[in-house]
């Protein structure tokens, strides 16, 4: 017999450009279920649950959803609040008061831990409910799933950014340009900039993944090598990159915040190159734009994000709880995925690093195996048109 | 009688996302002229002229041009080389050797000075030729023209970037986010971020133009005011912004280059806010991506850039020289422009600041008059979809 009650869906952590598509998937899949008596969106994630601040999603005009699907960032709002044990009690109290029997929590590995704790607390408290995690992170660092909704679109953004900055750098050599790429501890996004390349001299010329520490001397030798060959270099670095001593480069901006990040990485590296090699260098840091841009949404990503939202509702309707939806890549030449489920306990607080076997030995590029993995997720990165460039014969002998 | 000879077209300064459209305009307009015996593109601008390095553009497949038109950055390559008097002699020597009778130089106010000097040198040297400038700069700081090709697309990029970063900031307050915007000395691009707004609480919440110095205390008071009201703030600042003493904020990265720029502005301001107000702050700096992105090309800009290239050829074919093509906005409700011509001497080395009358008194926002000027150039900035957001009634009394 179907469990009768209210659904709460909540977002956690950094928004992505497709998180609203998974919300749409939840809403669409809930609609035909008569046992779902209400569909609430928590305002600013778990904060909204704690403060009983919910939007009634059944009150929204049905025609709004196609636009919401393509809107980046969370239309519900999100939160990074770490859930305490006393919060858990409050959450259960709110769920009982509103007869919430279904909780869909959209987030990364920390959020899956929260979902697991809510699931456990409900069981121990004798409150029957279904808790299902919907995967979301641009970092692509969740285990048990082929990849994570949100990642392909941010990967696409940075591949296009490096392609375009590379075209600028070719036309008017800067000559050294760092592009700082999102990705907390893992190199999945920075690796994707490799998809910007078609010709041998295309950017990025160097790619560093934060799974390996980056000795400054190593970086300088790499940059100098590319510069000697091409007279320029575009380097993709990850915001989470650590130096040889395990410290972030130039991490001074967030000294007052809980989690210091290497917020000034690109600039710091540019300064080091300018000072040590005497070559002019600059840096670009699209930052949060890289996870919030409608223009670079991967259509595969959007469709899969929606699928994951819908699959969460189906799993809960079938009586499952304590699981996260996963994406399983089907074998074969043509890219296809289906959804499956993993135990929340298998996913919670675990991190999937970029595979060491997909990096080259020098640690400054990624291997074709990664390209095969990532290309179908990210979609085609159209190379820029170039002229054939038939040269006119010179007519003056004494050319410098 | 038509002057028979070769055309050279060259690009100067920073590429834009529509400079290739003006190249296309030149090529298309040259084709039907029998007196044009050759059409050469200089590789890397004036460097290519000096080194006799030309691409024969008549050798390109005609079918390539629609793709070239939509390709950002210069397919010829550009240069920032300052032309010396001895360079001028060499340029004339090369022009005589190849029977170059038409020179189209695409650039900003410095480049128009170079074009003027080439025109004068040819006249003094008894070499009959036509020199026409094609306007190009993302900075929009050329005088004598309503606006400059390249500006609308970069303005569109940053308006979309601020809209999207603003959506991210609303969903998960950062809480203070600076977006560093291109624009050397003038506020035209940073002002355009105002087009991201629809609702009263939309980003950007503060806009600073570099025409006014920015006292740190003033900035801190502004930021604190917005933060108190909204709990967050997105601030658009221009890379060329100077502090109250006339120095750039955080300009250490280019100490070794000719022209030091405030390359670390956003980060420096974020650090100041964090330290002085105790509010966590971050910064984004899309940088060169803002002038090289195909995804944000303004269709009006692309069409006008093409028009300017074609108009340059027509002017030269009619016997004119020493002029720059300008855009003249037609009076009336519906946006329309036609091209005209200005003397190179009127444009060379002159800079058009953002009008003081289009800024508010506090110096932290722009007025609706600017919006009316810029909106038709930049095209529609589609606002993000939002939920209606009907709140669910609370059921627990003791809400915190």
């Amino acid at each position: 017999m179907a469990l009768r009650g209210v659904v709460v869906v909540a977002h956690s952590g950094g928004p992505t450009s497709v998180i609203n598509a998974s919300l749409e998937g939840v809403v669409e899949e809930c609609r035909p279920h008569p046992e779902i008596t209400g569909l609430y969106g928590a305002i600013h994630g778990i904060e909204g649950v704690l403060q009983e601040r919910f939007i009634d999603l059944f009150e929204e005009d049905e025609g709004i959803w196609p636009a919401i699907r393509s809107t980046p960032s969370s239309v519900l709002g999100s939160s990074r609040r770490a859930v305490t044990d006393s919060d858990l009690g409050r959450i259960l109290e709110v769920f009982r008061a509103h007869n919430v029997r279904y909780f869909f929590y959209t987030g990364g590995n920390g959020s899956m831990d929260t979902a697991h704790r809510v699931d456990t607390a409900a069981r121990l408290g004798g409150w029957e409910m279904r808790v299902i995690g919907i995967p979301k992170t641009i970092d692509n660092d969740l285990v048990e799933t082929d990849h994570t909704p949100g990642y392909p679109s941010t990967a696409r953004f940075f591949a296009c950014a490096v392609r375009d900055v590379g075209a600028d750098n070719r036309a008017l050599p800067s000559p050294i340009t760092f592009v700082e790429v999102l990705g907390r501890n893992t190199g999945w996004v920075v690796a994707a900039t490799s998809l910007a390349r078609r010709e041998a001299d295309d950017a990025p010329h160097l790619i560093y993944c934060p799974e390996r520490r980056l000795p400054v001397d190593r970086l300088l030798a790499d940059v100098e090598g590319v510069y000697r060959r091409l007279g320029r270099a575009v380097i993709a670095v990850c915001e989470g990159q650590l130096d040889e001593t395990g410290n972030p480069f130039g991490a001074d901006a967030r000294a007052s915040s809980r989690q210091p990040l290497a917020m000034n990485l690109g600039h710091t590296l540019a300064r080091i190159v300018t000072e040590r090699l005497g070559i002019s260098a600059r840096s670009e840091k699209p930052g949060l734009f890289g996870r919030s841009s409608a223009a670079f949404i991967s259509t595969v990503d959007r469709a899969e994000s929606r699928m994951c939202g819908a699959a969460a509702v189906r799993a809960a309707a079938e009586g499952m709880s304590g699981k996260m939806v996963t994406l399983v890549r089907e074998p074969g030449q043509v890219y296809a995925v289906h959804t499956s489920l993993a135990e929340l306990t298998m996913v919670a607080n675990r991190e999937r690093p970029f595979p060491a076997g997909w990096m080259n030995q020098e640690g400054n590029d990624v291997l074709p195996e990664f390209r095969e993995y990532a290309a179908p997720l990210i979609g085609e990165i159209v190379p820029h048109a170039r002229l054939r460039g038939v040269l006119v014969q010179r007519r003056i002998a004494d050319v410098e």
Side-chain angles (χ1 to χ4, degrees), chain A:
Chain A
M1 202 181 78
L3 183 62
R4 198 174 158 78
V6 166
V7 165
V8 164
V9 56
H11 291 168
S12 175
T16 73
S17 50
V18 298
I19 191 171
N20 292 325
S22 75
L23 176 63
E24 187 206 12
V26 170
V27 173
E28 294 300 309
E29 194 69 28
C30 280
R31 233 187 279 280
H33 284 277
E35 71 270 27
I36 294 177
T37 57
L39 174 51
Y40 297 175
I43 298 175
H44 286 297
I46 210 70
E47 300 272 8
V49 177
L50 291 165
Q51 294 161 30
E52 245 194 310
R53 296 189 65 226
F54 299 116
I55 289 170
D56 187 339
L57 293 171
F58 280 154
E59 289 286 333
E60 297 293 325
D61 183 356
E62 285 192 33
I64 192 77
W65 292 104
I68 297 289
R69 185 197 310 156
S70 296
T71 294
S73 182
S74 165
V75 292
L76 293 176
S78 188
S79 166
R80 286 204 196 280
R81 178 176 177 134
V83 171
T84 63
D85 285 340
S86 84
D87 286 344
L88 281 177
R90 170 77 187 176
I91 290 167
L92 263 287
E93 185 188 7
V94 170
F95 283 178
R96 284 176 192 267
H98 288 271
N99 193 34
V100 174
R101 298 292 188 166
Y102 299 90
F103 180 49
F104 300 113
Y105 202 41
T106 318
N109 45 27
S111 312
M112 293 310 141
D113 181 56
T114 302
H116 167 64
R117 287 164 65 209
V118 170
D119 184 53
T120 306
R123 206 158 357 94
L124 293 176
W127 182 250
E128 186 182 1
M129 70 178 300
R130 321 281 182 239
V131 178
I132 304 285
I134 301 172
K136 174 246 47 163
T137 168
I138 62 155
D139 290 332
N140 204 38
D141 60 356
L142 286 174
V143 297
E144 302 283 326
T145 182
D146 180 78
H147 57 279
T148 309
Y151 167 65
S153 296
T154 288
R156 183 173 178 78
F157 177 99
F158 281 102
C160 291
V162 167
R163 176 197 59 186
D164 293 353
V165 168
D168 192 288
N169 179 266
R170 179 199 309 281
L172 186 69
S174 288
I176 309 296
T177 301
F178 288 91
V179 180
E180 185 175 325
V181 174
L182 291 177
R184 205 168 26 176
N185 301 319
T186 59
W188 294 99
V189 181
V190 75
T193 63
S194 63
L195 294 163
R197 294 184 194 133
R198 278 300 177 286
E199 312 288 333
D201 65 345
D202 277 346
H205 306 108
L206 296 165
I207 297 174
Y208 297 103
C209 289
E211 283 80 358
R212 274 204 219 181
R213 292 182 181 182
L214 179 56
V216 171
D217 288 340
R218 171 84 235 190
L219 169 73
L220 292 172
D222 286 351
V223 169
E224 199 167 22
V226 175
Y227 179 71
R228 280 196 186 157
R229 187 158 51 86
L230 300 177
R232 61 194 182 92
V234 175
I235 303 122
V237 283
C238 170
E239 59 172 346
Q241 184 64 54
L242 303 178
D243 65 18
E244 58 217 303
T245 64
N247 286 312
F249 288 95
D252 59 354
R254 302 263 289 219
S256 72
S257 82
R258 257 175 326 178
Q259 193 183 17
L261 273 178
M263 299 306 282
N264 203 24
L265 174 78
H267 176 77
T268 303
L269 296 179
R271 208 183 52 212
I272 291 171
V273 164
T274 303
E275 285 169 2
R276 296 271 305 269
L277 297 181
I279 311 171
S280 177
R282 59 171 290 148
S283 68
E284 327 299 345
K285 181 191 163 201
L288 299 184
F289 191 28
R291 71 180 191 198
S292 66
S293 171
F296 296 98
I297 289 175
S298 148
T299 49
V300 164
D301 192 20
R302 185 168 51 200
E304 290 178 350
S305 188
R306 196 158 175 254
M307 270 172 66
C308 288
V313 176
R314 280 199 305 275
E318 288 164 12
M320 281 191 283
S321 191
K323 316 269 187 191
M324 182 189 83
V325 176
T326 61
L327 290 167
V328 180
R329 193 184 297 229
E330 293 174 6
Q333 287 293 308
V334 179
Y335 174 77
V337 291
H338 61 264
T339 59
S340 184
L341 295 164
E343 295 296 327
L344 285 173
T345 49
M346 294 297 289
V347 182
N349 290 332
R350 290 175 64 192
E351 192 172 73
R352 181 174 67 156
F354 187 78
W358 283 358
M359 289 180 70
N360 70 352
Q361 223 164 14
E362 296 78 10
N364 58 20
D365 207 345
V366 297
L367 299 180
E369 288 86 335
F370 167 71
R371 220 181 153 98
E372 284 163 37
Y373 164 85
L377 315 180
I378 290 168
E380 197 190 357
I381 308 293
V382 181
H384 285 164
R386 290 201 197 185
L387 298 173
R388 280 175 66 208
V390 176
L391 290 180
V392 174
Q393 194 154 13
R394 284 175 166 161
R395 295 197 173 175
I396 308 177
D398 62 336
V399 169
E400 320 146 43

